[in-house]
Amino acid sequence: EVQLVESGGGLVPPGRSLRLSCAASGFTFGDYAMHWVRQAPGKGLEWISGISWNSYSIDYADSVKGRFTISRDNAKNSLYLQMNSLRAEDTALYYCARTVTGSYYYMNVWGKGTTVIVSS
Amino acid sequence: QSALTQPASVSGSPGQSITISCTGTSSDVGSYNLVSWYQHHPGHAPKLMIYEGSERPSGVSDRFSGSKSGNTASLTISGLQADDEADYYCCSYVGSSTLVFGGGTKLTVL
């Protein structure tokens, strides 16, 4: 079964760091681009970062650029999101998502998400 | 990276058709045929419904269709069913490996 499982969320004070992980199974992880998408409470979906299959292409939404770092380890079938200098507005449910075969732009497999709460 | 503009809510009765618009600019929706649509039931993972503007992934009902004109993409759902009630989001490539979502539209089936 194709599956993505996020972990690493939790309650963290403003200004601190957190590292999210996404474990992939049921497919050849290294063949696919991956993304992180978040949803703040009561708000819509927000794309925050994407990474190509070989990590050569990486980009971020302006809202997290310079604070968050996406990475992947194809040998470990894992995607990561290092989040530094966290702010209250980073409070959200964070999803990792796999792209459609051969594409960077469309996400057809999603995890259930991990919740990050930034609060003192 | 401004969010694409969607109506906050739309509604329709079972069996009817509705259309959700997604307005961007000549730098995103207007420049690329790389718009997708996602259905999101609260508490569940989003589901890809349309990609490349008008293509349906396998398993998605043909009641869902997508189109684009200029800087506006649209999602049409025909033969509305109760289970279609959800939030719908458009998403577009905006260049430099960057994507942007619309603000989301809540569909209510009356």
Side-chain angles (χ1 to χ4, degrees):
Chain A
E1 179 192 3
V2 173
Q3 196 171 11
L4 297 171
V5 179
E6 302 93 337
S7 61
L11 173 63
V12 60
R16 301 296 292 270
S17 299
L18 208 57
R19 189 194 197 207
L20 304 184
S21 298
C22 172
S25 60
F27 64 98
T28 304
F29 178 72
D31 284 351
Y32 294 86
M34 299 291 294
H35 296 274
W36 287 99
V37 175
R38 69 185 180 185
Q39 184 174 32
K43 303 290 187 182
L45 299 177
E46 180 188 12
W47 176 85
I48 56 173
S49 186
I51 185 168
S52 62
W53 66 274
N54 57 6
S55 304
Y56 282 10
S57 181
I58 288 175
D59 215 328
Y60 304 91
D62 289 343
S63 57
V64 306
K65 196 170 289 186
R67 299 187 300 122
F68 289 14
T69 302
I70 191 173
S71 62
R72 65 189 297 161
D73 185 335
N74 289 344
K76 294 184 177 180
N77 295 326
S78 293
L79 177 72
Y80 306 102
L81 186 68
Q82 177 67 41
M83 304 187 296
N84 298 332
S85 304
L86 282 162
R87 306 167 179 167
E89 54 265 36
D90 295 319
T91 293
L93 178 63
Y94 285 73
Y95 294 103
C96 73
R98 191 202 79 177
T99 54
V100 168
T101 303
S103 170
Y104 177 86
Y105 316 106
Y106 315 116
M107 295 163 272
N108 66 341
V109 179
W110 296 67
K112 294 184 183 212
T114 185
T115 298
V116 173
I117 299 173
V118 183
S119 174
S120 52
Chain B
Q1 294 171 357
S2 300
L4 307 175
T5 301
Q6 299 180 230
S9 63
V10 298
S11 62
S13 299
Q16 288 186 331
S17 295
I18 62 94
T19 297
I20 299 171
S21 61
C22 169
T23 301
T25 69
S26 57
S27 298
D28 41 60
V29 174
S31 286
Y32 308 98
N33 193 30
L34 297 172
V35 175
S36 50
W37 289 90
Y38 297 86
Q39 177 190 64
H40 192 200
H41 287 106
H44 292 81
K47 178 183 178 183
L48 178 66
M49 305 302 285
I50 295 287
Y51 66 98
E52 223 157 84
S54 59
E55 298 297 313
R56 270 188 313 276
S58 122
V60 172
S61 170
D62 60 5
R63 297 186 299 106
F64 292 82
S65 62
S67 63
K68 191 187 89 164
S69 177
N71 297 337
T72 298
S74 298
L75 173 71
T76 297
I77 308 174
S78 58
L80 268 180
Q81 298 178 358
D83 190 49
D84 296 334
E85 185 162 295
D87 297 322
Y88 289 85
Y89 295 89
C90 61
C91 181
S92 177
Y93 177 66
V94 296
S96 301
S97 302
T98 301
L99 304 176
V100 66
F101 279 95
T105 299
K106 181 176 180 59
L107 169 61
T108 300
V109 180
L110 302 170

